[in-house]
């Protein structure tokens, strides 16, 4: 301490070093954030963030948001034949049969009355449609071979309406939509939820209320003779013709399978290779170099390119996806395992050597216990992240839930399917997440206590 | 000494220990065998559900790379020109990855400070923030990107937003773990002189954990470059999209695909290597 004070040359020099380091730090404190900011400004131009406003399609966003949690039911009257159908999303396979119409549709003769959620109502008859808008007045539309004409009360917002000689459209927020052409009039009514998620229209249970279903489960007569109501219900749900739960869960299982096979296959191949790549286990320089470059190559070529190459050889499917994950992860595992092999404690191995243990025994009792925690924790971590990755790989190679997701998204109409798949993927990934966390704690903590 | 007073004590302990370790070893063996059996069965199942079988396809696995390579070699003079042609797309892909990593890191810092049990300004905020991070982490980027492409139109921004969202969750979790291991003494010291929450975080926590944060962020950059290329492949622009188009041209035009492969592989390896060097320096420089 005193030497510093007495040495006249040391103090100024130390002071200078310290001060220059301080000022360099202070400079970095300014320069670094400024550089990042400048880069972000550049990126905003390079990625054309300003052009976003021009491309933004709010109507698409509305459709996406609405369709993911609610559904439309179409009531359509043919203006020539007078035939009326009630169908979810206007799809033929989801049409109600005439004896089981929903409660808000009532028919008398050729006239159909549709009650809408906010108290409005639409009355349809061949060639005529009347929209009684709650608190706004009545819209009358006439359709015939000569065209479509409409009388509209004053004071309706202009953006609700769109009219021409051949077509009339009105959308009332909170109520529904009426569109009339020469050939048909159609009402769309939105309702909350996923239509027919439990039972499709072919199932008798669709037409029962919840209390009725509960009673049927406990006591009621067998709806399908020879089969208990519970198994009939489960069967109807599983083979639901609209949602295809059987197909969806198989796809989900395929995704999990891809992640499992890819991760564990990679670990089994990567571990022995890691010994070749570790400095302290492989005295042969060239072999070590070659194996390390192989790891770099496997990781550098990347899952995207592997999926392309593998798809060419094996076609679409879960095997292709598994192999793509396996190849990339072999590189990652090999690198991680060889690094932890290089960091092990040599003394345990020497101790075993002194007892006359051979190489295999030294590996089993000296090395493996040391790297086992790293292996287990990396394996679980990768399994969890690959579960999500397998969804993406599945979309590329055409397998699992990823395939279903992209197929549903490409239609740009089946957003309720998309949100169902997303919910399932989220549940699967989060389950794997907590499972791997729990297992990691169990396996690794247990080892520490022992 | 004790076995002198308790006859047979040591040998009893020894027998107990050996029995226990034998039991544990037997359990490991059984687990290993079960795992191997599951793997074998799984591969069989995956093989049966695949469009083409493993054994049928195995001899074809080299065909495409060889074709690509032979075409690239036959027209090697065109490769540099093609690489220059595709460079802007590569830069777009890298820009998507880098900007989403930066924004994602900034968001993750905030989320992780709110989601760390020892640092959160209020206890009740920890659980909801963690659930939000789980949600962000679990969402596959491809889903978010495709939904955003539908709503926002094409271009690189949907991909950037999708990767950013995922980065919030992925880095947020890792950062929160780092934060929970931070030394509490500087925080308490600042609290004792009346510093606010933001001041405590900025002056007491950030200097401690910043190197670890930065190292995780670099690792995430490596992952995001790959994700950005993949998102391009499903329609979000960048080099991935060009790759899809070039492969679609088919045989005889693979020189473009080869040039893109070279660009992609080189940039991934380059980024991996420099990020690894930087990370090593960050961790070692601290010690």
């Amino acid at each position: 301490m005193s030497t510093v004070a007495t040495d006249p040359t040391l103090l100024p020099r130390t002071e200078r070093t310290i001060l220059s380091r301080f000022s360099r730090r202070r400079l970095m404190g300014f320069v670094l954030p400024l550089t990042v900011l400048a880069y972000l400004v550049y990126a905003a131009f390079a990625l054309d963030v300003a052009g976003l406003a021009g491309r933004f399609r709010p109507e698409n966003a509305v459709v996406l948001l609405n369709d993911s949690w609610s559904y439309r039911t179409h009531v359509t009257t043919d203006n020539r034949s007078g035939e009326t159908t009630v169908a979810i999303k206007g799809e033929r396979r989801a049409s109600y049969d005439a004896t089981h119409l929903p409660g808000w549709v009532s028919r008398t003769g050729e006239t159909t009355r549709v009650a809408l959620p906010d108290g409005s109502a639409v009355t349809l008859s061949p060639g005529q449609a009347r929209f009684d808008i709650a608190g706004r007045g009545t819209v009358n539309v006439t359709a015939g071979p000569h065209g479509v004409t409409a009388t509209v009360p004053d004071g309706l917002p202009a953006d609700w309406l769109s009219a021409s000689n051949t077509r009339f459209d009105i959308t009332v927020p909170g109520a529904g939509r009426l569109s009339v052409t020469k050939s048909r009039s159609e009402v769309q009514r939105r309702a909350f939820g996923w239509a027919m998620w439990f039972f499709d229209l072919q199932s008798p249970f669709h037409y029962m209320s919840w209390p009725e279903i509960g009673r049927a489960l406990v006591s009621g007569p067998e709806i399908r003779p020879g089969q208990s109501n519970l198994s009939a219900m489960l069967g109807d749900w599983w083979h639901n013709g609209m949602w295809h739960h059987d197909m969806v869960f198989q796809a989900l299982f395929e995704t999990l399978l891809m992640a499992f096979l890819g991760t564990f296959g990679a670990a089994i191949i990567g571990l022995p290779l890691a010994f070749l790549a570790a400095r302290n286990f492989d005295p042969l320089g060239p072999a070590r170099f070659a194996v390390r470059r192989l790891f770099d190559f496997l990781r550098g070529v990347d899952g995207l390119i592997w999926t392309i190459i593998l798809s060419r050889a094996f076609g679409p499917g879960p095997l292709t996806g598994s192999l793509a994950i396996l190849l990339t992860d072999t590189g990652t595992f090999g690198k991680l395992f060889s690094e932890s092999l290089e960091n092990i404690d040599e003394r345990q191995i020497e101790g075993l050597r002194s007892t006359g243990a051979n190489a295999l025994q030294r590996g089993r009792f000296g090395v493996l216990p040391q790297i086992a925690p790293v292996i287990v924790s990396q394996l679980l971590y990768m399994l969890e992240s690959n579960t999500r990755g397998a969804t993406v790989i599945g979309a590329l190679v055409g397998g699992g839930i990823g395939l279903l997701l992209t197929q549903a998204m490409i239609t740009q109409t089946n957003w309720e399917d998309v949100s169902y798949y997303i919910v399932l993927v989220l549940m699967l990934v989060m389950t794997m997440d907590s499972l791997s966390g729990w297992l990691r704690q169990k396996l690794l903590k247990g080892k520490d206590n022992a | 000494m004790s076995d002198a007073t308790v006859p047979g004590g040591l040998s009893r302990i020894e027998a107990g220990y050996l029995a226990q370790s034998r039991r544990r070893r037997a359990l490991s063996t059984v687990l290993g065998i079960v795992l191997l059996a599951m793997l074998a069965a799984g591969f069989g199942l995956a093989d049966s559900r695949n469009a083409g079988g493993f054994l049928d396809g195995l001899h074809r696995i080299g065909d495409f790379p060889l074709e690509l390579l032979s075409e690239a070699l036959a027209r090697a003079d065109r490769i540099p020109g093609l690489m220059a042609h595709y460079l802007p797309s590569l830069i777009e892909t890298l820009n998507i990855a880098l900007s989403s990593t930066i924004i994602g890191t900034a968001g993750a810092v905030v989320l992780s400070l709110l989601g760390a049990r020892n640092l959160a300004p209020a206890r009740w905020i920890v659980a909801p923030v963690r659930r939000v991070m789980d949600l962000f982490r679990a969402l596959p980027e491809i889903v978010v990107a495709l939904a955003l492409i539908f709503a926002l139109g094409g271009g690189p921004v949907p991909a950037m937003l999708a990767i950013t969202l995922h980065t919030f969750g992925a880095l947020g979790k890792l950062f929160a773990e780092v934060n929970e291991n931070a030394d509490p003494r500087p925080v308490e010291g600042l609290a004792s002189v009346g510093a606010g929450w933001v001041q405590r975080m900025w002056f007491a926590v950030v200097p401690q954990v910043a190197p670890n944060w930065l190292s995780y962020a670099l690792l995430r950059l490596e992952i995001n470059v790959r994700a950005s290329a993949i998102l391009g492949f499903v329609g979000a622009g960048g080099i991935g999209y060009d790759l899809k188009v070039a492969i679609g041209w088919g045989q005889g035009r693979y020189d473009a695909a080869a040039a893109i492969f070279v660009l992609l592989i080189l940039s991934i390896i380059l980024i991996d290597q420099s990020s690894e060097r930087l990370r090593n320096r960050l961790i070692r420089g601290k010690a």
Side-chain angles (χ1 to χ4, degrees):
Chain A
M1 260 171 81
S2 57
T3 53
V4 176
T6 49
D7 185 343
T9 57
L10 191 56
L11 192 57
R13 213 192 307 152
T14 319
E15 192 186 345
R16 229 179 302 130
T17 326
I18 291 175
L19 282 182
S20 81
R21 281 209 185 139
F22 258 127
S23 59
R24 203 170 66 202
R25 274 231 162 152
R26 210 173 299 158
L27 196 68
M28 282 297 277
F30 276 110
V31 170
L32 211 66
L34 271 183
T35 319
V36 170
L37 200 69
Y39 170 75
L40 285 179
V41 171
Y42 154 75
F45 282 106
L47 301 180
D48 194 21
V49 174
L52 207 60
R55 289 190 303 268
F56 179 49
R57 279 169 284 178
E59 69 280 5
N60 280 359
V62 169
V63 166
L64 196 162
L65 290 176
N66 279 336
D67 280 359
S68 50
W69 58 268
S70 66
Y71 65 97
R72 287 165 288 132
T73 312
H74 296 217
V75 182
T76 314
T77 296
D78 190 299
N79 282 333
R80 294 191 192 92
S81 65
E83 191 196 343
T84 298
T85 56
V86 181
I88 286 165
K89 287 176 80 182
E91 286 176 24
R92 184 173 289 278
R93 66 196 169 124
S95 325
Y96 286 87
D97 96 59
T99 52
H100 285 114
L101 291 178
W104 42 269
V105 177
S106 49
R107 302 207 61 189
T108 40
E110 286 205 313
T111 307
T112 311
R113 187 173 183 281
V114 181
L116 296 174
D118 68 339
S120 306
V122 177
T123 315
L124 299 174
S125 47
Q128 286 286 334
R130 202 178 79 221
F131 199 152
D132 297 302
I133 307 171
R136 292 271 193 177
T138 300
V139 177
N140 276 301
V141 192
T142 318
H146 308 296
V148 179
T149 52
T151 54
V152 178
D154 293 332
L156 283 187
D159 58 342
W160 288 11
L161 300 164
S162 103
S164 73
N165 287 338
T166 53
R167 186 181 177 92
F168 176 80
D169 268 294
I170 175 167
T171 309
V172 179
R177 173 179 172 165
L178 169 68
S179 47
V180 183
T181 64
K182 282 195 269 190
S183 57
R184 63 202 186 107
S185 311
E186 183 177 82
V187 185
Q188 290 181 22
R189 184 188 195 273
R190 219 169 242 296
F192 173 76
W194 288 340
M196 302 188 283
W197 189 84
F198 290 101
F199 306 113
D200 60 14
L201 294 171
Q202 276 70 50
S203 164
F205 301 107
H206 179 85
Y207 304 98
M208 295 162 76
S209 65
W210 286 117
E212 279 171 345
I213 286 180
R215 266 197 301 279
L217 268 181
V218 181
S219 55
E222 284 176 355
I223 302 229
R224 286 206 195 96
Q227 193 181 11
S228 80
N229 280 338
L230 178 65
S231 90
M233 271 180 210
L234 287 177
D236 280 8
W237 176 79
W238 186 242
H239 299 293
N240 187 321
M242 294 295 286
W243 290 87
H244 301 287
H245 299 295
D246 45 356
M247 216 173 76
V248 173
F249 277 88
Q250 266 176 33
L252 204 63
F253 171 73
E254 248 176 37
T255 299
L256 192 60
L257 187 70
M258 282 195 268
F260 170 75
L261 294 178
T263 314
F264 283 85
I268 286 178
I269 298 173
L271 186 60
L273 286 177
F275 278 92
L276 288 178
R279 203 177 303 123
N280 44 349
F281 287 94
D282 183 16
L284 287 171
R288 195 168 70 225
F289 183 81
V291 175
R292 288 196 170 190
R293 290 296 83 79
L294 175 71
F295 291 158
D296 284 344
F297 176 73
L298 287 174
R299 283 178 334 125
V301 169
D302 183 40
L304 173 62
I305 300 175
W306 286 127
T307 52
I308 294 171
I309 293 173
L310 291 168
S311 298
R312 296 253 157 176
F314 303 120
L319 182 72
T320 311
S322 314
L323 291 177
I325 296 176
L326 189 148
L327 282 177
T328 353
D329 281 6
T330 301
T332 314
F333 277 142
K335 188 168 146 45
L336 287 169
F337 292 169
S338 69
E339 275 168 11
S340 59
L341 278 174
E342 286 180 355
N343 287 331
I344 62 161
D345 188 351
E346 293 284 340
R347 282 170 301 185
Q348 295 190 24
I349 303 165
E350 271 160 38
L352 280 167
R353 202 196 300 270
S354 73
T355 65
N358 64 28
L360 203 66
Q361 286 168 327
R362 287 200 300 272
R364 168 67 186 82
F365 295 103
V367 182
L368 217 53
Q370 286 195 56
I371 59 166
V374 179
I375 294 180
V376 169
S377 120
Q378 283 299 331
L379 207 62
L380 289 172
Y381 174 74
M382 283 299 231
L383 182 64
E384 154 200 339
S385 87
N386 279 339
T387 309
R388 197 193 54 257
T391 314
V392 178
I393 297 268
L396 295 178
V397 300
I401 197 87
L403 175 68
L404 292 188
L405 257 171
T406 40
Q407 277 177 344
M409 284 187 135
I410 284 166
T411 64
Q412 305 209 331
T413 51
N414 296 334
W415 293 108
E416 72 283 5
D417 287 334
V418 173
S419 50
Y420 175 41
Y421 303 152
I422 291 178
V423 168
L424 286 180
V425 170
L426 283 181
M427 275 166 33
L428 180 69
V429 173
M430 286 175 149
T431 311
M432 291 304 288
D433 206 71
S434 18
L435 190 74
S436 98
W438 177 78
L439 263 178
R440 198 164 17 212
Q441 209 161 17
K442 200 94 182 159
L443 290 174
L444 300 185
K445 283 270 164 65
K447 211 139 238 162
D448 285 347
N449 293 343
Chain B
M1 250 165 77
S2 61
D3 67 329
T5 50
V6 185
L10 192 59
S11 60
R12 206 168 62 221
I13 292 173
E14 187 187 351
Y17 172 78
L18 282 178
Q20 199 184 357
S21 70
R22 219 175 296 128
R23 213 167 29 236
R24 195 189 288 166
R25 220 169 293 154
L27 191 70
S28 309
T29 315
V30 168
L31 269 178
I33 289 171
V34 167
L35 203 66
L36 280 180
M38 274 168 75
L39 264 180
F43 271 116
L45 187 64
D47 192 29
S48 69
R49 292 223 187 152
N50 217 56
F54 182 68
L55 293 175
D56 303 329
L58 202 57
H59 63 92
R60 266 181 288 145
I61 194 158
D63 291 1
F64 178 60
L66 282 180
E67 221 169 88
L68 206 76
L69 211 61
S70 67
E71 280 191 30
L73 289 177
R75 271 170 289 173
D77 52 317
R78 291 189 58 194
I79 297 288
L82 281 168
M83 279 171 69
H85 174 73
Y86 286 114
L87 195 61
S89 304
L90 178 70
I91 290 176
E92 181 167 84
T93 294
L94 296 181
N95 272 334
I96 291 174
L98 187 55
S99 56
S100 52
T101 309
I102 291 176
I103 301 174
T105 305
V109 164
V110 176
L111 284 175
S112 73
L113 290 173
L114 295 174
R117 265 173 283 257
N118 51 339
L119 301 177
R123 280 204 85 77
W124 58 266
I125 206 168
V126 174
V129 166
R130 293 205 154 209
R131 290 297 86 72
V132 167
M133 290 197 290
D134 287 346
L135 206 69
F136 283 159
R137 205 151 34 92
L139 267 178
E141 291 111 331
I142 207 167
V143 173
V144 182
L146 285 175
L148 286 177
I149 286 173
F150 178 64
L152 297 181
V157 180
M160 197 272 271
L161 289 176
I163 299 177
T164 304
L165 217 59
H166 182 70
T167 306
F168 282 160
L171 281 185
K173 185 195 180 195
L174 292 172
F175 285 5
E177 275 166 20
V178 173
N179 295 350
E180 292 193 341
N181 289 326
D183 186 353
R185 283 170 300 182
V187 185
E188 284 160 14
L190 276 180
S192 73
V193 297
W197 185 74
V198 175
Q199 288 169 321
R200 289 202 303 272
M201 295 302 115
W202 186 250
F203 293 110
V205 180
V206 172
Q208 288 190 56
V209 293
N212 283 329
W213 283 355
L214 216 55
S215 141
Y216 278 132
L218 283 170
L219 206 61
R220 189 34 60 176
L221 178 67
E222 295 174 31
I223 299 170
N224 283 352
V225 169
R226 295 168 158 91
S228 156
I230 288 184
L231 288 186
F233 203 78
V234 298
I239 194 99
Y241 182 73
D242 288 339
L243 179 59
K244 187 176 190 165
V245 172
I247 285 178
W249 285 337
Q251 222 162 356
R253 306 273 311 265
Y254 280 145
D255 47 347
I260 296 175
F261 274 156
V262 173
L263 272 180
L264 204 55
I265 294 174
L266 278 185
S267 54
I268 286 180
I269 290 184
L270 191 74
I271 288 173
D272 280 11
Q273 302 276 345
S274 36
S275 138
E276 192 184 343
R277 202 154 298 156
L278 257 172
R279 274 185 290 128
N280 279 339
R281 229 174 62 192
L282 276 171
I283 304 287
R284 292 232 177 89
K286 212 187 67 166

